[in-house]
Amino acid sequence: MSSQRGEFGSRFGFIMAAAGSAVGLGNIWGFPTQAASNGGAAFVVVYLLLAFLLAYPVLMAELTLGRHAHGNMITALAKVSRNGTQRGLGTLVGIVGIFTASLILSFYAIVSGWMIGFGLAYPLNALGATDASTWLSEFSFNRNLLLMLVFMVLTMTVVAGGVEKGIERWSKRLMPALIVTLVALALYVLTLDGAAEGLAVYLVPDLSKIWSTDLIFNAMGAAFFSLSLGVGTMLIYGSYISDEEHLPTLGAQVALVDVGIAVLAGFLILPAMYVAADRGVMIFNEAGGLLSEDTLIFVVLPALFDSMNETGTVLALAFFGLMSIAALTSSISMLEVPVSFLVERFQWGRLQAALVATVIISAMSTAIVANFDLLFGLVITVSTRYSQPLLGLALCLYAGWVWRRDLLLKELAKNEPVIEPTLFMKWWPWYVRFVCPTIVVVILVRTIA
Ligand code: TRP
């Protein structure tokens, strides 16, 4: 390997970085309530299956393409192309990928900024700075803008540090901190009144609820977002893996950590919601479903923390700290997509590339903050519901059809003297060729219809 390009220094470092990308706001604010409302443990099992049946094979396509090229998505798709048309289309797909990653970051940074704001609001309030605390926790243009910029600067600082000294180093610090905080919070909340009921809602399986095709396809879409697929995030992380590593195992470990943390988050979120209900907080919407997503994070849980005085301040600090960490290890992986492109295509230094990408994305984000009602939902829909699956489809087609199969197998078994006919080797090339594209097309058709 040339020492010019960044490379992850260790297997653990790669797993922390890739799992850090995967584990984000989605795992904590989406998965637990979705599971509880849709069959509890039965849903958890179905989600695990879907993650491995759809998301894992696509993740493998990205990691393999990336490591093969040791370059960004455009380089990788060109490298496996066999003619000019394929190369041209590959460039187009790569550019759309870079744009989509930037678009996703432009809304993600706004929400992540709110996490930092709430995290600061509690201790400030406890210290008597009530005005600042209120300002940080109430919706306003200035607050949204300032916190978004703070979050973008944090993200830029990590990415500018480089693959090993920035992304890997911070992921190795932050991910263990996230897991310890999550476990500690869950253990504490489980001792409170009402927690047992939440646990039951989360875990008692209800098989009758999971046989809805809508639900299954939504869950697949969620798994796609959760594993950061389509836009070249995992591809570029794959390009920093050493040729000695066995990719199928690494990919499986990343997927397991992602799903594992989503499941673990359920042991915190559902008990916490029912503890809140026990203290008189409303946890259901008008239709009788559990409140979720932004309402869960910014209304229900704060109401719980408010009811607990000093303990509430500590819990809030831990919880929003946890959310900020989850967001940061994800956002650095999004920013790495345009940054790696600028570095590789124009031979820019990392700092310059990180600065320019941050300025552009912050400008996009500012446009969303300024036209929040119009743009926020629209950007999320376009980037995650249309663009992301479409790009995932293109990646499957390149891995399954464009790339010569013997070369693909050789890449997968790079460090092995002979290509072992393992289960993965036998099935995956076929699977990524036929099954994955079919599933993604069905998801897209259902989104459009
Ligand atoms: N997977 C992260 C989450 O669950 C978000 C994320 C990081 C992402 N990188 C991405 C989503 C790339 C789509 C594409 O919150």
Side-chain angles (χ1 to χ4, degrees), residues 266-312:
F267 285 90
L268 167 64
I269 298 294
L270 272 307
M273 289 181 84
Y274 279 80
V275 170
D278 198 61
R279 292 159 178 254
V281 178
M282 190 62 204
I283 63 166
F284 297 101
N285 58 26
E286 279 166 15
L290 282 170
L291 289 171
S292 64
E293 306 193 337
D294 50 342
T295 326
L296 164 68
I297 303 297
F298 300 118
V299 180
V300 176
L301 295 181
L304 170 65
F305 301 141
D306 289 342
S307 74
M308 301 169 107
N309 304 323
E310 291 86 33
T311 321

Side-chain angles (χ1 to χ4, degrees), residues 13 16 41 71 85 114 145 254 269 275 279 289 300 309 337 340 358 375 381 392 394 405 407 429 445:
M16 288 301 105
T85 317
W114 297 340
L145 184 68
V254 170
I269 298 294
V275 170
R279 292 159 178 254
V300 176
N309 304 323
V337 173
S340 62
T358 301
L375 289 181
T381 307
R405 198 185 148 99
L407 299 179
V445 169

Side-chain angles (χ1 to χ4, degrees), residues 190-218:
L190 282 169
T191 63
L192 303 175
D193 286 343
E197 200 185 335
L199 206 54
V201 173
Y202 180 44
L203 290 179
V204 173
D206 180 353
L207 277 170
S208 68
K209 288 218 179 116
I210 57 172
W211 301 120
S212 133
T213 39
D214 259 356
L215 179 66
I216 291 188
F217 281 103
N218 283 343

Side-chain angles (χ1 to χ4, degrees), residues 22-270:
V23 175
L25 302 176
N27 296 56
I28 300 168
W29 90 4
F31 179 83
T33 43
Q34 199 187 11
S37 309
N38 295 298
F43 180 87
V44 174
V45 173
V46 171
Y47 183 82
L48 195 73
L49 279 175
L50 292 180
F52 272 88
L53 287 181
L54 173 69
Y56 171 66
V58 181
L59 170 65
M60 286 311 300
E62 285 209 27
L63 293 180
T64 330
L65 278 164
R67 190 182 60 182
H68 181 62
H70 286 299
N72 63 68
M73 191 146 138
I74 297 177
T75 318
L77 297 186
K79 189 156 184 190
V80 299
S81 292
R82 296 190 231 176
N83 59 43
T85 317
Q86 291 174 350
R87 254 191 303 278
L89 282 174
T91 304
L92 180 69
V93 170
I95 292 173
V96 176
I98 293 167
F99 183 66
T100 305
S102 310
L103 214 54
I104 294 179
L105 180 52
S106 71
F107 77 77
Y108 207 82
I110 301 174
V111 183
S112 308
W114 297 340
M115 301 298 168
I116 296 181
F118 271 78
L120 295 174
Y122 279 84
L124 282 175
N125 190 42
L127 295 172
T130 44
D131 286 349
S133 170
T134 313
W135 186 80
L136 283 168
S137 44
E138 275 178 5
F139 195 96
S140 72
F141 172 82
N142 287 341
R143 176 202 70 157
N144 294 350
L145 184 68
L146 182 77
L147 292 176
M148 176 274 286
L149 290 173
V150 168
F151 185 77
M152 284 302 300
V153 169
L154 279 178
T155 305
M156 184 191 76
T157 309
V158 175
V159 171
V163 178
E164 198 179 344
K165 300 231 160 64
I167 296 175
E168 177 173 358
R169 180 199 284 173
W170 280 101
S171 302
K172 281 201 307 205
R173 288 178 184 161
L174 293 176
M175 287 306 286
L178 179 142
I179 295 174
V180 170
T181 313
L182 184 56
V183 172
L185 276 172
L187 287 177
Y188 176 72
V189 169
L190 282 169
T191 63
L192 303 175
D193 286 343
E197 200 185 335
L199 206 54
V201 173
Y202 180 44
L203 290 179
V204 173
D206 180 353
L207 277 170
S208 68
K209 288 218 179 116
I210 57 172
W211 301 120
S212 133
T213 39
D214 259 356
L215 179 66
I216 291 188
F217 281 103
N218 283 343
M220 283 187 178
F224 228 73
F225 183 82
S226 186
L227 272 178
S228 314
L229 297 176
V231 303
T233 289
M234 289 301 185
L235 192 149
I236 198 70
Y237 275 17
S239 81
Y240 302 135
I241 300 177
S242 119
D243 286 340
E244 266 79 72
E245 297 294 344
H246 185 63
L247 289 180
T249 315
L250 283 184
Q253 286 166 334
V254 170
L256 273 178
V257 175
D258 183 45
V259 177
I261 292 192
V263 172
L264 193 59
F267 285 90
L268 167 64
I269 298 294
L270 272 307

